[in-house]
Amino acid sequence: MNPPDPSGKHVTLRDIAKAMGISHSTVSLALRNHPRISAAVTQKVHQIAEKMGYKPDPMLAALAVYRRGKNDRPISSALAWVNAWPNPDDLRKHKEFDCYWKGASAAAAKFGYRLEEFRLDANNTPERLHQILSTRGIRGILLPPHFEQPDWGDFPWDQYSIVRFGRTLQSPCCHLVTADQVANTMLAYQEIHKRGYKRIGFVAHDFELKTLGIIFELGFLGGQRLVGAGEGPPTLLLGDVSLAPARKAFQQWLTKHKPDAILTTLPEMPAMLKTAGIKVPGQIGLAATTLLDISVNAGIDQHPEEIGRVGLLMLNSLITDGSRGLPKIFRQVLVEGSWVDGSDLPDVGKSAPPKKSSVSRKKAQP
C-alpha cells in the first residue's frame, strides 16, 4: 500500500479508489458509512484512507452542505424511531414528544433520510427489531422519552449509532439531547420573581423528580439563589393527582404555605386550583415548565422541534463518523428554552393582565 505522499500532494477519493481497485463513488459512500456499502468494505476503505493520509477537504464539505440546502434530495435510507411504550399511540399524544418527531423528521429529510417509527410489543420483540433493521441496512436509532423502562433483552446496540431524547430512559446509556431543565427552571423563577411575586412555589409529580435526578428542583433552588430570595414554600412532590391523598396534600400545602405564584410540571394544575376554589390569576399566578403540554399561557417554551432537529444532527454525525454502540464518554446536548409572557402570570399590582403571547413555532433548519 502506498504511504502518504511526502510531497504533500492532497490524497483524493480517486487515489484511494485506484489503490483498492474500486470506484470512487464506492469510496465516497464508504467514508460516509453509507448503509449501501457493506461493513467489511467500509472498514477497509477507512483503513486504506488513513494509511494513505487522506484528509477531507473542509471547503468541499461546506460546498456539499450548501448544495444539499439548495436542492431536494431523494430519500436514500431510513432511520429508526423506536417506540416501546405500553400503549405506543400515547407517545406522540404528548405535544413535546410529537414536536421531537417533527423536528427530527424535517432534519432527516435534509440529509436524504426518512425517519420511521418501529414499535416494540409482544409480536415485535427486540430480536425481531434487530432483524428488520439489519435487513434494511438501517444503522441509526433515535430513542424518544419512555416513562417505563423497556426490556431490551440482548439487543445489539454495538451495531447501531444511537441518540436518546431526555433522561427518562435509563438504558441504553447513550448520547442524549434534551431541554436544559436547570437553566429553564432558573429562568422561570427569575421571570416570576421579576413580576413581583415573593412566595413562589414549585409543584411536580414525584416520579418526575426521581427520574430526572431532581433536575427541575435544582433549577428552582438555583433561581432562588440568583435573585437573593428568602426561603419560600417547600417543593411539593405529588403522586397520582387523581387520587384523594395527593389532592389532600396539595390543599394542605396551599393552606399552610400560601404561595402567591406556582411554577409547575403538572398538566392537571389549572383544574386542581379551580377545584380548590382559587382563581388564576386573581388569587395566584401560574406558570408552566412547558407550555405545550400544560394549559397555562405563561412559562417556558422548550423549543421541542429544535430538540428533535439537534437529536437528528447528532445521530447523523455519529453515523458519518462510524461511531456505534454505547459510548465510553457520554455526551449531553442541552437546548435552552425561552420565557413566554401570559395573562396567567400578570405583574403584581397591575390592574389588567398582560396581553397573551403565543409560543413561537418557526420551522427549524438543519
Side-chain angles (χ1 to χ4, degrees):
M1 180 52 54
N2 296 328
D5 191 332
S7 68
K9 175 185 174 183
H10 179 68
V11 177
T12 68
L13 299 183
R14 293 185 184 276
D15 294 332
I16 300 170
K18 183 178 179 180
M20 296 185 66
I22 59 178
S23 70
H24 76 277
S25 60
T26 298
V27 172
S28 176
L29 291 171
L31 289 175
R32 289 184 282 127
N33 298 289
H34 198 284
R36 281 172 49 190
I37 309 302
S38 71
V41 171
T42 295
Q43 182 179 12
K44 187 67 174 177
V45 169
H46 278 278
Q47 290 174 347
I48 300 304
E50 184 176 357
K51 287 181 180 180
M52 293 182 67
Y54 170 76
K55 300 293 182 184
D57 187 325
M59 297 305 293
L60 290 177
L63 178 60
V65 171
Y66 171 76
R67 286 175 172 170
R68 283 198 296 267
K70 298 291 287 184
N71 301 289
D72 292 332
R73 300 186 70 202
I75 300 299
S76 60
S77 186
L79 298 172
W81 164 286
V82 179
N83 179 352
W85 280 47
N87 184 353
D89 290 335
D90 287 344
L91 170 60
R92 288 178 58 193
K93 289 180 181 177
H94 289 261
K95 295 177 182 178
E96 291 277 339
F97 304 160
D98 185 51
C99 284
Y100 292 176
W101 166 274
K102 291 176 180 176
S105 295
K110 294 289 184 180
F111 292 98
Y113 288 108
R114 177 180 61 258
L115 187 61
E116 292 188 25
E117 182 179 66
F118 294 85
R119 297 183 172 187
L120 294 188
D121 53 34
N123 297 319
N124 296 302
T125 63
E127 292 76 14
R128 175 61 178 157
L129 173 65
H130 169 56
Q131 182 182 37
I132 293 171
L133 298 184
S134 59
T135 299
R136 292 184 54 187
I138 298 174
R139 299 183 181 179
I141 296 176
L142 287 179
L143 296 173
H146 286 70
F147 295 125
E148 296 184 28
Q149 302 306 308
D151 180 2
W152 299 114
D154 295 323
F155 188 83
W157 298 111
D158 61 310
Q159 298 184 34
Y160 298 92
S161 300
I162 323 144
V163 172
R164 61 186 167 126
F165 290 112
R167 297 185 176 88
T168 56
L169 266 179
Q170 298 172 13
S171 174
C173 186
C174 54
H175 302 308
L176 70 82
V177 177
T178 190
D180 190 345
Q181 301 293 7
V182 171
N184 290 351
T185 314
M186 289 173 68
L187 172 63
Y189 190 98
Q190 290 174 279
E191 292 291 340
I192 296 170
H193 186 268
K194 186 189 301 181
R195 283 151 183 76
Y197 296 91
K198 302 301 182 185
R199 297 192 55 77
I200 305 169
F202 181 67
V203 183
H205 283 123
D206 60 355
F207 76 85
E208 288 176 330
L209 273 277
K210 293 174 184 175
T211 305
L212 298 178
I214 67 170
I215 295 296
F216 283 110
E217 190 173 28
L218 289 174
F220 185 80
L221 296 176
Q224 284 184 333
R225 291 287 299 274
L226 276 178
V227 302
E231 185 175 348
T235 297
L236 178 64
L237 309 182
L238 297 174
D240 188 340
V241 295
S242 67
L243 301 179
R247 295 197 302 270
K248 181 179 180 181
F250 178 61
Q251 184 63 62
Q252 291 175 338
W253 180 82
L254 285 173
T255 302
K256 180 176 180 180
H257 299 288
K258 298 179 174 57
D260 57 6
I262 292 176
L263 176 64
T264 187
T265 68
L266 273 63
E268 304 89 349
M269 180 54 64
M272 292 168 64
L273 288 169
K274 184 176 181 180
T275 299
I278 296 176
K279 295 180 180 180
V280 176
Q283 295 173 272
I284 198 168
L286 186 59
T289 55
T290 169
L291 294 177
L292 281 183
D293 287 309
I294 304 176
S295 297
V296 179
N297 61 27
I300 296 295
D301 174 6
Q302 295 192 120
H303 305 302
E305 286 197 37
E306 175 68 3
I307 293 173
R309 186 184 80 93
V310 173
L312 193 285
L313 295 182
M314 176 185 274
L315 181 61
N316 183 63
S317 72
L318 294 174
I319 294 171
T320 301
D321 193 45
S323 178
R324 299 184 186 133
L326 306 184
K328 293 181 180 179
I329 300 176
F330 174 57
R331 285 181 230 155
Q332 300 183 56
V333 177
L334 305 180
V335 176
E336 192 164 331
S338 56
W339 176 261
V340 177
D341 274 326
S343 58
D344 289 331
L345 192 82
D347 289 2
V348 172
K350 275 200 172 182
S351 57
K355 185 178 180 180
K356 180 179 177 180
S357 300
S358 59
V359 178
S360 174
R361 286 285 173 261
K362 293 181 180 179
K363 186 176 181 180
Q365 299 293 330

